[in-house]
Each structure stands twice: as structure tokens, then as C-alpha cells.
Amino acid sequence: MSDHDELAERRRKNLKLISFDKNDRSLHESEKPKETFADVGGLDDVKKKIRLNFILPLQQPEVFAAYGKEAGGSLLLYGPPGCGKTFLARAVAGEIEANFLHIELQAILSMYSGQSEHNLHDIFQKAREHKPCVIFIDELDAMGGSRHQMRQHHDRMLVNQLLLELDGLQAQNDNVFVIGATNTPWYLDSALRRPGRFDHLIFVPPPEETERETILQLKLAGKPMQGLQLSRIASETKFFSGADLEQVVKDAVESAMERTFETGDIQPITQEDLKKAAKSRKATTLEWFATAKNYATFSDTNGDYKTVLEYAKKHGLK
């Protein structure tokens, strides 16, 4: 499958064409997330870089003004699916007590010519009216894929509109932050990576062992349990994403429920349930790393993905 065909398939799976309803308030309402960096386990390097580029300019504007920098800008989070990019974006907004606008592609795309671009502009304009504001664009590659590989004119026009909005942020606005997330940054249009646009590229890796234990604790909270040693399960689930661990817990819950229906009494989740569930699954991140390493090794002329190679080497990924 060619890059174009793969990108087209992603768009067919992820995007749904709908008409735009001016009475649909979902496009116009923001929220203030309660999550902060204190709720994000690990990822210290990631949080440090975000703090320097996004948070400190807002908290200490006089320091950054001395160097000719203003608060605002854009950040691109990339990495395997299910590793908390969305949660991290919400934590950024919570950290700076900013409004949060989550751009959902199905609420932007329209079957009518020019309407998708108008919808996108409306969301950016809403952010400008409610500063400080974080705009979060998930699955950015589905919206901002390479224009050279797009056959449809309206697809290319939506990328052009996104570029215009990002340039408008740079030229006219401060205290508006744009965070994009993607599993496949190599499919993005190269213009999105130019200075002033998504010029800060940050790798979000799978959770480390202690983080996996914390995730398991959170997913098991409030459920009947007995004799669990989550540290052992965490050590046996290397490279598992947060989504993978959530599925492990769901599988373990199903095993306990089966016993409950057989006995008629509530049965607790056991260590064996979790161990069996973990062994029945493989880390979904491994497939992503195989693809990412291939791009980083053979197609990364700018060295954008060297962090992936460093991570793979450090953790023994072949």
C-alpha cells in the first residue's frame, strides 16, 4: 500500500462528512480542564520542554519579552497510539488555567464547498476571543496530511486554511496555544513543520514500569480485588500503552465476572486473572515502533525522529 493509499484509508476510517449546524454549540463551547502536570505520571523530559515553551512565557512574560518571545505558539505531540497525548494536552491547559478547545474532525468536515474551512476558522476565532486558550487538534495527520498526496481539492484547501490560522496566531495573537497530536507525523504536510507553526516536536513514549503500575491501580480502582501484586504485572507488560493496560484490566474483569455468574457470588479480580490477560496480549506500540524506526533510519533527513531511535536503543527494541 502506497503512502497516499494509506493516508486515504486513514481519512475514510477516521473522518465523517457532515453538514455544519450553526446551532451546534459543541463547536463553540470551551472548558477549563482540572488536570495538571501533577496528574501526569513520569514524562519528565516532555513536561520540561512544554513548560519552557508554553507555560513559563505566560507566567514570566517579562523574561521572554527581553528575548523577543511572546506567549503562544504551537506544539506537536507524536508517538504510539494510546500513550496519553490527549490527557497531556488537557494537563497543559489545566496547568495554565486556560480554556480548552478540542477540535474534532467530524464536527469540522462538511460536504459543502468551503464550509470545512469556515468551520475551522470559527474554532480558531473562538480561541482568540477566550484567551488564554489551548486548541487541541487530535489525529492532525488526517486534517493536515501532505497536499502533494491529496487528490481532492477540498482536502488541500483545508490544509491551506490550517496554515493560515497558524500564521494568524503568530502574527496577531498571544496566549493562544495550539497542540497537535498524531501517531504518524511523517504524513504531515511539510509546511506545517516550518518555524512559527508546529515547530516544537515532542515524542510521547509508552509508560515506564512505575507508570504502568500507577495506570493499573487507577483502572482497577473501585473494583473487587484480592491478592494483587501490580508491580509484577507492570514488569511483565513492557511497551504496553495506557490503552493496552486498560484492555488487560477489562479482560481480567471479564474473567472475574464469568466466575461470578457461575457461583452466584461476587468474585474478586485475582493476580492470575491479570497475568492471564497480560499474556494473551501484545503491546500495540511495537508495530508503531517498527514503522517509526524505518522512517527515522531511512527517510528522516532533518533528524526529527532521532529521539525514537535513541529510545529504541535504550530499551532494546530491535
Side-chain angles (χ1 to χ4, degrees):
M1 181 180 293
S2 68
D3 282 354
H4 169 76
D5 292 336
E6 186 173 345
L7 181 60
E9 181 64 19
R10 284 179 58 82
R11 294 181 65 86
R12 283 192 290 270
K13 288 181 179 179
N14 293 326
L15 308 182
K16 177 174 65 178
L17 294 177
I18 65 170
S19 61
F20 178 72
D21 182 358
K22 282 291 184 181
N23 296 318
D24 182 4
R25 295 183 62 82
S26 65
L27 284 178
H28 297 273
E29 292 184 348
S30 60
E31 59 172 318
K32 283 197 173 183
K34 297 180 180 179
E35 300 91 344
T36 67
F37 280 178
D39 301 303
V40 179
L43 298 179
D44 292 335
D45 290 340
V46 172
K47 289 187 285 189
K48 181 179 179 181
K49 190 168 185 179
I50 293 175
R51 192 177 297 279
L52 177 63
N53 290 295
F54 279 76
I55 298 173
L56 288 180
L58 185 62
Q59 295 174 337
Q60 302 180 37
E62 66 283 353
V63 174
F64 287 80
Y67 292 94
K69 295 189 66 174
E70 296 180 347
S74 53
L75 175 77
L76 180 60
L77 306 176
Y78 79 99
C83 290
K85 293 185 285 294
T86 300
F87 185 82
L88 187 59
R90 290 180 61 84
V92 172
E95 193 76 15
I96 61 176
E97 299 182 352
N99 290 302
F100 185 80
L101 283 171
H102 186 168
I103 295 186
E104 297 181 353
L105 299 182
Q106 67 267 22
I108 291 178
L109 295 188
S110 171
M111 64 184 72
Y112 301 110
S113 177
Q115 189 63 63
S116 297
E117 295 85 359
H118 182 73
N119 296 346
L120 182 62
H121 173 74
D122 278 355
I123 291 183
F124 272 81
Q125 191 59 35
K126 181 67 176 181
R128 294 167 185 142
E129 294 169 359
H130 292 79
K131 298 185 291 186
C133 187
V134 170
I135 300 175
F136 177 61
I137 310 176
D138 202 1
E139 297 186 4
L140 180 63
D141 52 299
M143 180 192 298
S146 174
R147 287 169 291 179
H148 298 297
Q149 297 179 353
M150 291 179 176
R151 295 193 179 101
Q152 300 297 325
H153 174 71
H154 59 77
D155 289 339
R156 296 193 296 272
M157 291 304 295
L158 186 58
V159 178
N160 291 342
Q161 184 65 38
L162 179 57
L163 293 172
L164 286 173
E165 299 298 341
L166 292 172
D167 288 344
L169 290 175
Q170 182 185 27
Q172 305 170 13
N173 300 281
D174 59 359
N175 292 328
V176 175
F177 308 87
V178 183
I179 301 178
T182 177
N183 302 327
T184 53
W186 39 84
Y187 287 148
L188 292 177
D189 193 282
S190 58
L192 284 170
R193 297 293 322 285
R194 290 176 185 168
R197 296 168 181 171
F198 288 101
D199 46 4
H200 299 297
L201 186 66
I202 295 183
F203 173 54
V204 182
E208 297 292 344
E209 186 172 326
T210 56
E211 297 165 19
R212 295 195 296 272
E213 183 176 354
T214 299
I215 291 172
L216 289 169
Q217 290 173 347
L218 292 173
K219 299 302 179 183
L220 287 163
K223 298 177 175 61
M225 301 173 285
Q226 184 178 47
L228 298 186
Q229 296 177 294
L230 297 183
S231 59
R232 297 187 65 176
I233 301 299
S235 68
E236 296 169 0
T237 50
K238 191 174 184 180
F239 303 123
F240 275 48
S241 68
D244 292 335
L245 294 171
E246 183 175 8
Q247 189 59 55
V248 167
V249 171
K250 288 181 179 180
D251 291 347
V253 166
E254 288 186 6
S255 296
M257 289 180 64
E258 287 179 6
R259 294 196 303 275
T260 295
F261 289 129
E262 291 172 357
T263 63
D265 297 320
I266 296 294
Q267 298 294 309
I269 301 168
T270 66
Q271 184 77 1
E272 187 60 30
D273 291 331
L274 286 172
K275 186 175 181 179
K276 180 181 177 182
K279 283 190 174 182
S280 68
R281 296 191 174 274
K282 292 183 179 180
T284 58
T285 64
L286 296 178
E287 182 178 355
W288 182 90
F289 274 108
T291 302
K293 284 177 61 182
N294 185 53
Y295 274 91
T297 303
F298 300 107
S299 303
D300 186 17
T301 56
N302 295 324
D304 290 333
Y305 310 119
K306 63 180 181 180
T307 306
V308 174
L309 295 178
E310 292 170 355
Y311 178 92
K313 183 178 181 180
K314 178 180 177 181
H315 292 80
L317 274 169
K318 298 181 179 180

